[in-house]
Amino acid sequence: MTDQPDLRHGESRSVDNSSSVVVDLREYRQSKDPLPVTFHRRELDAILWIYGRMVGEGEWRDYAIDHLKDRAVFSVFKRSGEMPFFRIEKNPKLAAKQGAYSVINVNGMILKRGHELNQVLKVFDKALKLVDK
């Protein structure tokens, strides 16, 4: 026989809690399913200022914002049923390299990339128009 008490007869056994760990549920969830990359308020202000200007000029008509696990994307549309005319992307993994911010055209070509959003958005200061062949 063992020295263990027989629990079938109503006896209780003490549990050793010295190995238990308290885990913050928020930290656990973030480690298992990280939060998506988002645009901060100042970044959105800068992007929406450009967007408003281009809508006023009749160049753009609609937009979409996607917050993905690896990047945030602000897509601009000439017409809502089409492919994005331009994409403004924030990719934090590229922050130490080429820069986290980029502007990409409808064909996937990177028009400008950099570390500061305001510098990257200057690409829209020039008259960018889609050229059909």
Side-chain angles (χ1 to χ4, degrees):
M1 296 283 299
T2 64
D3 293 335
Q4 297 285 336
D6 187 1
L7 296 177
R8 291 176 290 175
H9 298 290
E11 295 179 19
S12 64
R13 181 188 307 180
S14 65
V15 178
D16 180 19
N17 287 334
S18 63
S19 64
S20 62
V21 176
V22 176
V23 176
D24 183 357
L25 187 57
R26 186 177 339 128
E27 289 178 14
Y28 176 77
R29 285 183 179 156
Q30 287 178 0
S31 69
K32 294 295 180 189
D33 188 23
L35 294 174
V37 176
T38 61
F39 289 109
H40 297 290
R41 180 69 190 167
R42 290 180 189 233
E43 294 167 336
L44 273 177
D45 286 345
I47 294 170
L48 289 172
W49 187 86
I50 297 287
Y51 176 79
R53 190 186 80 200
M54 298 302 267
V55 166
E57 294 175 7
E59 296 291 321
W60 299 349
R61 294 186 185 233
D62 202 2
Y63 73 91
I65 301 176
D66 294 303
H67 295 141
L68 308 172
K69 288 184 180 182
D70 61 337
R71 68 186 186 274
V73 182
F74 186 96
S75 302
V76 176
F77 299 89
K78 183 86 168 172
R79 291 174 196 83
S80 59
E82 296 180 349
M83 293 286 293
F85 201 47
F86 292 104
R87 290 187 331 252
I88 301 166
E89 293 191 2
K90 175 184 177 181
N91 187 340
K93 289 182 181 176
L94 298 176
K97 298 176 184 172
Q98 305 103 323
Y101 304 101
S102 59
V103 174
I104 303 166
N105 72 7
V106 69
N107 299 322
M109 180 186 294
I110 297 173
L111 303 176
K112 190 153 183 159
R113 174 177 278 156
H115 297 281
E116 294 182 25
L117 180 61
N118 288 332
Q119 292 298 320
V120 172
L121 292 177
K122 286 185 178 182
V123 73
F124 295 115
D125 289 346
K126 304 170 191 166
L128 292 177
K129 300 200 187 273
L130 181 64
V131 178
D132 291 326
K133 290 184 179 182

